[in-house]
Amino acid sequence: MRKAVIPVLFVFSLSANAQEKKTTDTTKTTDIQEVVVTSLGVKRQARSLTYSSQQIGGDELTEVKTPNLLNSINGKVSNVQINRTNGVGSSVRVIMRGNKSVSNSQPLYVIDGIPIINGTGKSADIGQYSNMPDPGDVLSSINPDDIESINFLKGASASALYGSAGGNGAILITTKKGKMGKSSITYSTSLTVERAYSLPKLQHSYLSYDPSVPDQQPGQSIYSWGAKGASKDYLKDFLQTGTTWVNSLSFQSGNEKSTNYFSIGNTTNKGVIPMSYFDQYNISFRNSSKFLDDKLTLDANFIGSLQESKNRQTPGASFSPLTSLYWLPRGVNFDQYGADSYTIWDKTRYLPAQNWWEVNPNGSFKGNPATQNPYWILNRNPVTVSNKNAYGALSLSYQINPWLSARVRGNYSWNTSDSQRDIAAFSAPSLLAEGANGRMLKNIYENSSTYGDVLLIGSPKINDALSLDFTVGGSINTTRNKITQIDNAYLAVPNLFAANNLQWNVNRAPGDGYHNIYTNMKKQVQSVFASVSLGYKNMFYVDMTFRNDWDSTLALTDQKGVDYESVGANAILSSIFKLPETINFWKVRGSYATVGLGLPANISNAMVEYSKGYTYGVDAGTIVYPKSSFATGAGFEALLPRPELNKTFEAGTEIRMLNNRLSFDITYYNSNTSNQLLETSISSNLGGLAPGSYYINAGKIRNTGFESSLSYKIFNSEKFGWTTMVNASANKNKIVELFPSSLSIKEDQLFSLTGGGDYTRLKLGGSFGDIYGIKFKRDDQGRILVNEKGAPLAEGTPAYLGNPNPKFILGFNNTFNIGKLGVSFLIDGKFGGQVLSLTEKANDLYGVSKASADARDAGGVSIPNAVYAPGTPNAGQAYTGLTNPQEYYKAVGTSEGYAKGIDEAYMYSATTVRLRQASVSYTFDINSKYMKNATVSLVGTNLFFFYKKAPFDPEQVSGNTPGGVGVDSFGLPVTRSIGLSLKANF
């Protein structure tokens, strides 16, 4: 396989197998005249493009398979940051050129030129009391074997034709077609084993009690600050070896009139957590047929999947089986609470009760927060996620004359996510929410989208010097979202988790353990658009686009339609000037664009007065008034809702040298996103604006940076080939404006990001995703203040701690072929940033961390640059002693929520350098009657870190939300995967 890294819609295709170079049908860009797919599925010559983009072939997605195809791209595309959530099948957070929006920084996804909605369920946040896992998304359900190529349109100029949907860039997915005159069958299978590593460092050399004291026994205390003594490491025995088995079978055939492609696939995963699994089934079909003397082309496509998972890891401590083992008091024998003995029979209620060291004989729990038996969590508090996805598209294209064609296209995408958590009687009281018979939580998210457009595409010949390409058209896109959220702790029959067993005739206000919310939202965008590309002698090109969106989310506002424009130009220097023979191609380019991001559905209804509106919510039969409204009336027109607006300038150059063996591309960009939709509370009257909670259009976020790709075919022969590629990028983010100057809101006002659990905030002058928490209390000289016992003091209010986003990203990909043997590896580095670990913070408090044992072995904790605090006997004097470890970690650690302990003590460098993936493959040329060839590969992902200081993987996030980045809240440890794969062509 030779893979393509396509700067400006091409870089070289890299591969682990030279023998497949002749047969693979993935995207190739060895010729500068290459035709590539751009916005709206329109094909253009790569040399004519005036913006930066990057494309990779489908083989690069399947060389080392991951269940979510976007995870395979990590490190291979410049300036694209991909964060994983929890486990197989979970969604992926993709950010291109930095975070731009407090509402949504995710790109638009497009399949075969037509946009889709990458629907998800309710995303988890970083709170310690989260109760649901990340449910996955549509992209996690697509079979990577069905993908021909993926194109990343990272800038506003590249995605401007998509209007408000393309405000954060676009990812174009091209699926496979059948090949004309070719019938074949391909079977691929991959079996990998996974082991958790980079686990929290725990201690097993100090107990939770003192054996020499007669009245002390294991499990009397929830803390492990007892005497010296050995205890068993139960965590390693609890975690199991996970397995992932991926199978795919495809059929393709075709003739001059019709081609067909059909595939079925299956992914089966057993997780590293016992009793956790994930199953997925895929189906795909695509037909392309020609009629009416080949003037009419029909293209039909269908993609479907079913997903089922159980016990996917949930962020936070409440439902994590791992925290129960992290905090297990040392000396307690966990074997007596194992998989066969996690329950005891309660004779009073004739129900299984929890068998656990923390449960007192009267059924009460000792700790706060209370831990549970890991096997009780997995069996009696299980969480299941069921996802269904369907996508169908139809396109008709008619060639009116040799230079003009018309297209009519449409698609329908539908997905539903059904998550349910069952909490059995005798679980921890805080989880039961006062329910005696159990508690049921259920989230159902149903998303659908209907899209249709009409295009007129032309390339009329003007003369030999001038070229013209244009596209005009219109589209209608309708999305619907239905949300059902149930939380009921009043079951009629104990432990029967069914809707008809829930009691709602309870005299209680909606809240935890009692709510039933149903939301049905609809949004429609009607658009017209046009694009023109003018070329002069294949040396100069000018692009212009225009689009106008009429967005239903702007109903009841003073703005109905919004227009977006872009203009770009490039010059092919290698065609204008006579350059040295070593330079094969050189292009410079620049562009400017304005694109937007629409408002959330139905939100403009909040402008209507409560007494006149129709925005009331109903929760368990109780009317719930809207939380926030818009500021209306004279003088507040600037605060009324309008779409976010992204204005971007970019400039770059691309050069190819040494017979096209060396390719280099670099782009500088500057984007400013304004009209952020902020929600804030105003406590006092501000210029006629009454106190209350308001949506305000304000805020500006600036991203500046560069992205580059360098690819070099060091050796290029069938006997020995070596291609190396480096992707490098940097991004600087700044909050230029937050709340408008017309409101007297203090400049240091913080704005919480969704999913950040109060830890990730925005502040004027700061950066997107800044982490806030409690810092050490210091004097005017910056020295840490301690009390008379030497324990550090904490500031009373949260302050800035750091930002988790990397300052520089580097990907280093190498591919070798030695005859039929192929070898490839990818090293991925993210440099800069800081992250916070709530896991370490709690482990230290309980005395179960290795750090707490090391401090005891050392005789105490040394606090550099510390002085006694005012009011202590030695106030102002330098503190040079060793602090009692328990006193120190009691001051800095906590297992509770926000604004407790000292977060500053748990900030770590986010820099990591890892061996992202590697493979060794060999191709057997069989050339029998039924089989052509077969490739066997040894593959691995996340093999090890060359450098990592944080006690967790900084790349992991709790959920696909703007704020769920940079904080470790008892997440799933990173896993190392090693396995074998087979691909056979018949």
Side-chain angles (χ1 to χ4, degrees), residues 195-235:
R195 290 291 297 177
Y197 75 109
S198 191
L199 296 162
K201 294 181 179 179
L202 305 176
Q203 67 89 6
H204 301 283
S205 56
Y206 286 90
L207 303 175
S208 61
Y209 68 107
D210 189 343
S212 64
V213 179
D215 293 336
Q216 290 193 10
Q217 299 293 331
Q220 286 182 322
S221 172
I222 63 176
Y223 302 100
S224 294
W225 290 104
K228 190 86 173 177
S231 61
K232 186 178 178 182
D233 184 357
Y234 294 104
L235 178 63

Side-chain angles (χ1 to χ4, degrees), residues 242-317:
T243 59
T244 301
W245 190 18
V246 182
N247 291 278
S248 179
L249 181 64
S250 65
F251 308 83
Q252 59 178 316
S253 63
N255 54 38
E256 294 181 353
K257 294 295 184 181
S258 180
T259 62
N260 293 281
Y261 176 87
F262 174 77
S263 77
I264 54 175
N266 167 247
T267 299
T268 300
N269 169 264
K270 182 184 73 171
V272 296
I273 302 293
M275 286 166 282
S276 64
Y277 69 83
F278 170 84
D279 284 330
Q280 175 174 285
Y281 297 90
N282 306 83
I283 187 171
S284 173
F285 174 73
R286 186 172 183 182
N287 171 268
S288 183
S289 300
K290 296 180 179 180
F291 306 92
L292 305 179
D293 296 327
D294 296 343
K295 290 185 177 182
L296 179 66
T297 301
L298 167 69
D299 196 356
N301 192 9
F302 175 80
I303 300 173
S305 69
L306 299 173
Q307 292 180 345
E308 297 286 341
S309 68
K310 183 176 182 180
N311 286 330
R312 185 178 294 173
Q313 184 75 355
T314 300

Side-chain angles (χ1 to χ4, degrees), residues 226-507:
K228 190 86 173 177
S231 61
K232 186 178 178 182
D233 184 357
Y234 294 104
L235 178 63
K236 291 183 178 179
D237 294 335
F238 177 79
L239 293 170
Q240 63 185 16
T241 299
T243 59
T244 301
W245 190 18
V246 182
N247 291 278
S248 179
L249 181 64
S250 65
F251 308 83
Q252 59 178 316
S253 63
N255 54 38
E256 294 181 353
K257 294 295 184 181
S258 180
T259 62
N260 293 281
Y261 176 87
F262 174 77
S263 77
I264 54 175
N266 167 247
T267 299
T268 300
N269 169 264
K270 182 184 73 171
V272 296
I273 302 293
M275 286 166 282
S276 64
Y277 69 83
F278 170 84
D279 284 330
Q280 175 174 285
Y281 297 90
N282 306 83
I283 187 171
S284 173
F285 174 73
R286 186 172 183 182
N287 171 268
S288 183
S289 300
K290 296 180 179 180
F291 306 92
L292 305 179
D293 296 327
D294 296 343
K295 290 185 177 182
L296 179 66
T297 301
L298 167 69
D299 196 356
N301 192 9
F302 175 80
I303 300 173
S305 69
L306 299 173
Q307 292 180 345
E308 297 286 341
S309 68
K310 183 176 182 180
N311 286 330
R312 185 178 294 173
Q313 184 75 355
T314 300
S318 297
F319 295 99
S320 171
L322 299 182
T323 57
S324 298
L325 291 170
Y326 296 163
W327 302 344
L328 182 72
R330 301 307 186 247
V332 171
N333 180 13
F334 178 68
D335 291 333
Q336 62 182 318
Y337 305 108
D340 298 324
S341 52
Y342 66 90
T343 63
I344 55 177
W345 190 252
D346 184 82
K347 297 180 180 179
T348 60
R349 299 194 63 190
Y350 297 98
L351 292 173
Q354 186 170 177
N355 183 28
W356 190 228
W357 68 269
E358 199 174 10
V359 179
N360 292 313
N362 63 359
S364 63
F365 280 71
K366 301 174 185 177
N368 183 25
T371 68
Q372 298 191 105
N373 189 314
Y375 291 102
W376 178 273
I377 294 174
L378 297 171
N379 288 279
R380 301 295 179 178
N381 300 159
V383 60
T384 57
V385 180
S386 176
N387 293 339
K388 299 175 183 178
N389 302 287
Y391 168 84
L394 186 67
S395 173
L396 284 172
S397 177
Y398 186 78
Q399 195 69 37
I400 300 173
N401 57 43
W403 59 267
L404 183 64
S405 65
R407 294 182 190 175
V408 178
R409 309 181 304 178
N411 74 3
Y412 178 77
S413 58
W414 172 87
N415 64 82
T416 180
S417 177
D418 186 341
S419 304
Q420 180 168 320
R421 168 83 69 181
D422 301 336
I423 306 175
F426 291 99
S427 296
S430 60
L431 305 181
L432 285 170
E434 302 180 13
N437 293 336
R439 178 183 175 191
M440 188 181 89
L441 299 96
K442 193 176 185 69
N443 294 330
I444 302 176
Y445 281 69
E446 182 179 354
N447 307 296
S448 65
S449 171
T450 304
Y451 176 91
D453 65 24
V454 177
L455 305 176
L456 195 63
I457 303 170
S459 300
K461 180 177 176 60
I462 300 176
N463 54 47
D464 292 337
L466 293 176
S467 64
L468 170 65
D469 296 284
F470 69 85
T471 301
V472 295
S475 67
I476 297 178
N477 189 10
T478 304
T479 59
R480 293 176 173 84
N481 308 98
K482 299 178 181 179
I483 304 171
T484 301
Q485 293 180 305
I486 296 174
D487 184 353
N488 191 299
Y490 300 96
L491 278 65
V493 178
N495 297 343
L496 177 59
F497 303 100
N500 58 2
N501 191 45
L502 304 180
Q503 301 181 89
W504 295 105
N505 56 343
V506 179
N507 185 20

